[in-house]
């Protein structure tokens, strides 16, 4: 039976040089010639001739030297080709093959770029951006990073006043010629979308399935702020904050563990393939699905992530900066911490898998949260509303797109008063705003007589 690093072939064909190329580019492997799919020798007609021809063809075509041995079992001769992993990228007639699982893959596009960079000991975020200057870097984002790192104890307090150039150099985000690297732009630029289209983080609220999109938001900006901005949006429109009291203290925790949610977001941001498409988060009534471009590293699965394993970030520079800021660890413990946080509050542990060229994380929402929130909204009494609040509800029912300025003109009060009323009505569950802050619409959650 063929396995990840073993191939059985009954006869030799020159096309098997592709398999040897794939093994050399991956973790190495063995090819047996004269053996059936069950691993049983069937013999070869001219084994000694092949013993000379095969090494020569491999050396001439692929430029590598491999061990080729003649074996014998029960009077049947077969050949063992033992391929070691190569430190350099190997091509077969200009095409790069890679052994993944039990299949041979032809590397193209971003996958080929990642492979070539990895063979050189580099990652995509280590590549220089030649049309970017220090002027595109946002100093406020640099200060935010420094403050976070100092608070986490991973940056010395005396570094707080370092220049932008010094901070980037200390993080290894400038090459030997003074050019900013991809990671510098992604982490700290004012408008990283001007350079990379895959930075956007899209969030959508869905009904029964992915065709039933209710509301959506897009979080843009640099990566150092990304997780905070996503959490703000999730708290505002998408995830609930059930209210309860501890003694006399009002408590509004998020429906899922906030530390685990942040860890999920930080890991998605650090490990994403930014040469691909935007990150997508789908919020359903019963679950949340987060998908980002770039599959899990070879050998990592839901099961192995729960065990001790080395940290293998896709973007080494981004991961290092996020570690220095105190956002992530470097010991491969992140997924286990996430699962422990969910288990501690009685929620099923999230799932993670490689799917459609990316990585999808799915976590369940508490089954009672959505129904409790809906019942609480419906049970709100009209008598608890002031006359002004009732009028605001009537205006929004007629025109859900009304602005605070429009309502202030109708009700003859200053816009600041309307904004204060809108805020308190949202907290009370009387109204909800759907969509982004510059657009969207208001939804009235109670019925006025």
């Amino acid at each position: 039976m063929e396995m990840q690093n073993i191939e059985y072939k009954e006869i030799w064909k020159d096309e098997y040089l592709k398999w040897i190329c794939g093994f050399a580019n991956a973790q190495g492997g063995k090819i047996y010639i004269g053996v059936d799919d069950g691993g049983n020798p069937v013999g070869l007609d001219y084994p000694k001739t092949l013993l000379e021809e095969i090494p020569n063809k491999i050396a001439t075509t692929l430029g590598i030297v491999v061990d080729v041995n003649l074996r014998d079992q029960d009077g049947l001769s077969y050949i063992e080709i033992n391929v070691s992993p190569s430190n350099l990228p190997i091509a077969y007639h200009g095409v790069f093959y890679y052994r993944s699982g039990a299949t041979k893959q032809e590397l193209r596009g971003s996958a080929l770029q990642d492979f070539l960079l990895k063979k050189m000991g580099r990652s995509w975020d280590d590549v220089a951006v030649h049309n970017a200057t220090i002027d595109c870097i946002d100093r406020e984002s640099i200060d935010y990073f420094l403050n976070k790192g100092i608070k986490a104890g991973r940056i010395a307090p005396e570094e707080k006043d370092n220049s932008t150039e010094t901070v980037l150099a200390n993080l290894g985000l400038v090459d030997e010629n003074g050019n900013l690297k991809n990671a510098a732009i992604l982490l700290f630029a004012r408008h990283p979308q001007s350079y990379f289209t895959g930075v956007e983080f899209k969030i959508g609220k869905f009904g029964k399935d992915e065709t039933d999109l209710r509301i959506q938001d897009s979080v843009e900006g640099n990566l150092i702020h990304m997780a905070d901005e996503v959490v703000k949006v999730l708290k505002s429109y998408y995830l609930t904050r059930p209210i309860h009291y501890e003694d006399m203290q009002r408590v509004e925790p998020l429906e899922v563990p906030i530390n685990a949610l942040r860890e999920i977001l930080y890991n998605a941001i650090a490990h994403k393939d930014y040469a691909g498409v935007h990150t997508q988060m789908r919020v359903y009534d019963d679950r949340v699905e987060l998908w980002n471009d770039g599959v899990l590293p070879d050998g990592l699965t839901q099961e192995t992530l729960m065990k001790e394993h080395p940290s293998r970030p896709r973007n080494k520079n981004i991961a290092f900066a996020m570690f220095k800021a105190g956002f992530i660890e470097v010991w491969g413990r992140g997924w286990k911490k996430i699962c422990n946080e969910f288990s501690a509050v009685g929620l099923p542990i999230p799932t993670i898998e490689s799917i459609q060229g990316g990585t999808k994380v799915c976590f369940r929402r508490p089954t009672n949260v959505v129904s409790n929130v809906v019942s609480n909204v419906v049970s709100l009494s009209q008598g608890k509303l002031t006359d002004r609040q009732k009028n605001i509800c009537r205006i929004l029912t007629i025109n859900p797109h009304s602005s605070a300025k429009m309502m202030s003109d109708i009700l003859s009060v200053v816009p600041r008063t309307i904004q204060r009323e809108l805020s308190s009505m949202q907290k009370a569950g009387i109204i909800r705003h759907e969509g982004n802050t510059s657009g969207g619409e208001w939804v009235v959650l109670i019925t006025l007589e």
Side-chain angles (χ1 to χ4, degrees):
M1 182 178 179
E2 293 181 349
M3 296 180 290
Q4 178 174 344
N5 297 322
I6 295 178
E7 281 288 330
Y8 297 123
K9 305 297 180 183
E10 294 191 15
I11 61 173
W12 169 258
K13 296 180 181 179
D14 286 353
E15 66 183 60
Y16 297 153
L17 291 168
K18 298 177 183 178
W19 293 96
I20 296 171
C21 175
F23 278 133
N25 284 328
Q27 288 78 42
K30 294 182 178 181
I31 299 181
Y32 291 94
I33 310 299
V35 179
D36 66 19
D37 290 341
N40 304 305
V42 296
L44 293 168
D45 290 336
Y46 305 101
K48 292 184 178 180
T49 301
L50 289 175
L51 190 63
E52 294 180 4
E53 290 182 353
I54 291 175
N56 290 332
K57 289 182 177 181
I58 294 172
T60 302
T61 307
L62 302 178
I64 59 175
V65 176
V66 302
D67 289 330
V68 181
N69 303 300
L70 184 62
R71 304 296 187 191
D72 185 88
Q73 181 176 324
D74 299 329
L76 297 173
S77 297
Y78 63 94
I79 286 178
E80 176 191 70
I81 305 172
N82 192 354
V83 185
S84 299
S86 172
N87 293 326
L88 299 173
I90 305 300
Y92 172 75
H93 295 321
V95 178
F96 294 88
Y97 293 95
Y98 189 86
R99 177 75 171 199
S100 179
T103 63
K104 166 180 59 63
Q105 297 181 0
E106 180 181 335
L107 297 177
R108 298 178 181 179
S110 61
L112 175 58
Q113 182 186 52
D114 286 344
F115 164 74
L116 295 174
L117 287 170
K118 187 181 296 185
K119 283 294 182 181
M120 293 185 289
R122 302 178 65 188
S123 56
W124 176 86
D125 66 338
D126 202 42
V127 177
V129 184
H130 295 284
N131 61 334
T133 67
I134 199 70
D135 294 333
C136 75
I137 300 298
D138 177 33
R139 180 64 205 193
E140 186 275 331
S141 295
I142 294 287
D143 291 336
Y144 172 83
F145 161 77
L146 292 171
N147 288 330
K148 288 288 186 179
I150 292 169
K151 185 176 180 180
R154 295 176 180 175
I155 295 177
E158 56 267 24
E159 294 184 37
K160 184 176 182 179
D161 297 322
N162 280 355
S163 68
T164 298
E165 292 85 350
T166 299
V167 173
L168 296 179
N170 288 343
L171 290 172
L173 302 183
V174 182
D175 72 5
E176 60 276 7
N177 297 315
N179 297 307
L180 298 178
K181 296 181 180 179
N182 285 340
I185 303 298
L186 289 166
L187 285 162
F188 300 115
R190 294 185 188 86
H191 306 291
Q193 290 80 13
S194 300
Y195 299 87
F196 311 110
T197 58
V199 188
E200 191 176 12
F201 196 115
K202 288 194 173 183
I203 309 170
K205 176 69 174 72
F206 292 81
K208 294 183 178 180
D209 55 43
E210 66 275 6
T211 65
D212 185 14
L213 177 62
R214 304 292 177 81
I215 58 173
Q216 61 180 327
D217 281 277
S218 178
V219 178
E220 298 181 348
N222 58 46
L223 301 189
I224 207 68
H225 288 293
M226 182 71 75
D228 278 351
E229 295 303 314
V230 171
V231 168
K232 286 179 185 178
V233 174
L234 291 175
K235 285 181 176 180
S236 299
Y237 311 126
Y238 295 90
L239 300 181
T240 59
R241 302 174 69 183
I243 300 171
H244 69 274
Y245 288 86
E246 296 179 2
D247 296 326
M248 298 299 292
Q249 181 69 38
R250 176 186 170 111
V251 181
E252 299 181 56
L254 199 62
E255 64 180 71
V256 295
I258 185 64
N259 290 335
L261 176 61
R262 288 184 179 277
E263 187 79 25
I264 289 171
L265 294 173
Y266 285 133
N267 277 279
I269 291 168
H271 297 295
K272 177 180 169 12
D273 178 1
Y274 285 96
V277 299
H278 54 264
T279 300
Q280 303 166 31
M281 176 175 274
R282 300 170 185 265
V283 181
Y284 296 89
D285 285 345
D286 63 337
R287 68 191 187 281
V288 177
E289 297 177 355
L290 172 63
W291 181 93
N292 61 281
D293 219 326
V295 298
L296 290 168
D298 286 343
L300 289 187
T301 64
Q302 173 94 25
E303 292 72 28
T304 56
L305 283 170
M306 290 296 290
K307 302 175 183 177
E308 183 176 339
H309 64 278
S311 176
R312 288 187 281 165
R314 181 185 305 276
N315 304 297
K316 297 177 183 177
N317 294 300
I318 292 173
F320 178 67
M322 296 183 79
F323 166 76
K324 294 288 286 185
F327 295 161
I328 63 174
E329 301 291 337
V330 294
W331 301 103
R333 300 182 300 168
W335 184 252
K336 191 171 184 178
K337 288 172 59 180
I338 291 167
C339 293
N340 289 343
E341 292 264 359
F342 273 80
S343 295
V345 296
L347 289 175
I349 64 173
T351 60
I352 184 170
E353 62 178 328
S354 293
I355 183 171
Q356 297 177 337
T359 300
K360 184 174 80 170
V361 172
C362 178
F363 58 87
R364 312 300 297 186
R365 303 181 67 186
T367 55
N368 63 327
V369 166
V370 176
S371 59
N372 283 348
V373 171
V374 173
S375 62
N376 288 340
V377 170
V378 173
S379 65
L380 282 171
S381 169
Q382 177 184 334
K384 293 182 179 179
L385 273 64
T386 65
D387 288 341
R388 181 183 293 144
Q389 290 173 337
K390 291 177 184 178
N391 286 330
I392 289 174
C393 286
R394 293 187 179 101
I395 293 171
L396 295 179
T397 300
I398 297 171
N399 182 7
H401 300 283
S402 297
S403 65
K405 177 64 169 61
M406 292 168 58
M407 287 184 276
S408 70
D409 291 340
I410 295 172
L411 300 177
S412 300
V413 294
V414 297
R416 184 170 59 254
T417 299
I418 297 297
Q419 290 169 349
R420 186 166 57 248
E421 292 281 21
L422 292 173
S423 177
S424 63
M425 291 167 73
Q426 285 186 86
K427 291 180 180 178
I430 300 166
I431 59 175
R432 180 178 72 238
H433 190 269
E434 296 184 347
N436 56 47
T437 54
S438 60
E441 63 181 24
W442 292 97
V443 177
V444 179
L445 300 173
I446 65 171
T447 301
L448 294 176
E449 296 178 357

